[in-house]
Amino acid sequence: SVWHEEIFRDPFVPLAAIAAGTSELRLGTAVSTWTRSPVSSALIAANLDQLSDGRYTHGIGTGPAAWNEQYHSIKYEKPRSRMRDYVGAVRAAWSAHSGRFVDFDGEYFSLDQYFRPIGQERENIPLFMAAVQKNMLKLAGAVADGVIMNVLTTRRYYEEIASPNLLAGAQSAGRDPAGVHRAALVTVAVDDDERQAVRWAKHQIAFFAQIPYFESILGPYGFWEPTEPLREAAKEHDIERMLESVTDEMVAQLTVAGTPEQCRRQLARWDYLDSALLTAPSYFLSQEEIAANYRAIAAAFAPG
């Protein structure tokens, strides 16, 4: 499968090109954000599912609070309740096809006699939810087909925070927890030069460690000391100081980084997942470096 995240690029345009050029590869967003209306989100997903002959998974998430407020003028309040509404409205919009009229009455989103005269490839497109903190993990367990945990996910975080809350959410909704697909983005930096791979991995940690909701992952490993100066450097947009704050131990615990053989061994630490979505570091790296890393990932983990 191939997944595209929404950070510095729109996730759907690349997936449309990939869908048109492939016949068996599964596709997904990991993730698209809720900055679009539920109907817009549903329409894009339905189009991609049709273009790919039913190979698409729709991953959605909130994104950080600051990005909502500073970039999209969306107030970040009651995110769990709003996301529950959003998921319900997206699924309602998917059911409005082939001339069917649909209503949805939520606290934040509603549909009034929404319909589409055309058919749809699949009405029940798999919907995965991004989740890091407890409340959103519980919601994913209750309403989503799968959860996508963010980069820097570790076994300890999964066992102590993610899994118990997914379980609680599923049980509260009367669902079988085993039916919730468990995926996570895993940062992978591959190079024949181990030191180069470690340097690349530090770029990805530097970007994500500055986001507040990763505290629940970084804290248990004792990474507060290096993270605090990193966040101060981020406020001043001082990339070099941010990178200097990332320790080799952070790379070892939070990412897969090294030679191809080392990376294949390290990835075994994520064996608690149903799917490990391998993502290359990109923060303040050149297009050439990013592309080289993806080629190395493909070569290192290609089947056979």
Side-chain angles (χ1 to χ4, degrees), residues 161-213:
I161 296 176
S163 185
N165 285 286
L166 287 168
L167 176 65
Q171 290 177 335
S172 71
R175 304 178 70 200
D176 180 1
V180 181
H181 189 98
R182 301 178 186 213
L185 292 162
V186 179
T187 295
V188 180
V190 186
D191 195 84
D192 290 332
D193 181 348
E194 180 184 359
R195 292 172 299 177
Q196 176 65 71
V198 169
R199 282 193 294 271
W200 281 344
K202 288 184 177 183
H203 281 255
Q204 198 80 333
I205 294 173
F207 175 74
F208 284 100
Q210 65 181 298
I211 300 172
Y213 58 59

Side-chain angles (χ1 to χ4, degrees), residues 4-291:
H4 211 293
E5 58 191 349
E6 180 171 2
I7 296 183
F8 305 120
R9 293 183 187 275
D10 172 272
F12 301 112
V13 173
L15 289 177
I18 295 167
T22 61
S23 60
E24 297 182 2
L25 197 65
R26 291 179 293 113
L27 313 169
T29 46
V31 293
S32 60
T33 63
W34 64 358
T35 55
R36 301 163 187 81
S37 74
V39 167
S40 295
S41 182
L43 287 176
I44 294 170
N47 279 14
L48 271 174
D49 200 51
Q50 182 179 32
L51 184 62
S52 64
D53 297 318
R55 291 180 283 135
Y56 176 68
T57 295
H58 195 46
I60 58 176
T62 67
W67 297 1
N68 280 257
E69 295 166 358
Q70 294 172 217
Y71 305 160
H72 299 286
S73 301
I74 294 174
K75 290 184 178 180
Y76 196 84
E77 54 187 20
K78 297 184 178 179
R80 181 174 64 168
S81 298
R82 187 164 172 257
M83 180 57 82
R84 183 186 290 274
D85 244 22
Y86 193 89
V87 169
V90 167
R91 286 188 168 137
W94 282 338
S95 71
H97 63 83
S98 306
R100 186 184 307 162
F101 287 80
V102 171
D103 293 322
F104 178 82
D105 186 19
E107 181 181 357
Y108 297 92
F109 302 101
S110 60
L111 303 177
D112 182 9
Q113 291 290 284
Y114 178 68
F115 90 108
R116 287 175 292 143
I118 61 174
Q120 186 167 310
E121 182 75 22
R122 293 183 295 173
E123 182 173 313
N124 296 315
I125 298 170
L127 188 150
F128 285 16
M129 249 186 64
V132 174
Q133 299 191 82
K134 294 178 180 180
N135 284 340
M136 206 62 78
L137 286 161
K138 288 178 181 175
L139 180 61
V143 305
D145 299 304
V147 64
I148 301 176
M149 292 168 276
N150 216 323
V151 296
L152 312 186
T153 293
T154 63
R155 181 179 292 275
R156 183 171 177 180
Y157 160 80
Y158 175 78
E159 292 178 346
E160 296 179 5
I161 296 176
S163 185
N165 285 286
L166 287 168
L167 176 65
Q171 290 177 335
S172 71
R175 304 178 70 200
D176 180 1
V180 181
H181 189 98
R182 301 178 186 213
L185 292 162
V186 179
T187 295
V188 180
V190 186
D191 195 84
D192 290 332
D193 181 348
E194 180 184 359
R195 292 172 299 177
Q196 176 65 71
V198 169
R199 282 193 294 271
W200 281 344
K202 288 184 177 183
H203 281 255
Q204 198 80 333
I205 294 173
F207 175 74
F208 284 100
Q210 65 181 298
I211 300 172
Y213 58 59
F214 282 100
E215 293 171 358
S216 58
I217 298 176
L218 295 168
Y221 279 87
F223 291 144
W224 281 124
E225 187 174 344
T227 300
E228 289 179 357
L230 185 153
R231 290 180 174 177
E232 289 302 314
K235 292 176 184 177
E236 301 172 14
H237 308 291
D238 190 332
I239 307 304
E240 287 306 314
R241 278 177 51 215
M242 290 174 66
L243 294 172
E244 289 170 2
S245 299
V246 180
T247 66
D248 289 347
E249 180 62 18
M250 293 174 77
V251 172
Q253 293 290 341
L254 303 173
T255 71
V256 171
T259 66
E261 181 58 34
Q262 289 172 329
C263 288
R264 285 190 288 268
R265 290 199 305 268
Q266 291 173 28
L267 190 61
R269 297 203 306 270
W270 281 265
D271 61 359
Y272 53 85
L273 299 173
D274 295 313
S275 297
L277 312 182
L278 310 186
T279 181
S282 59
Y283 185 61
F284 275 92
L285 291 172
S286 70
Q287 293 296 312
E288 292 77 14
E289 289 173 310
I290 298 168

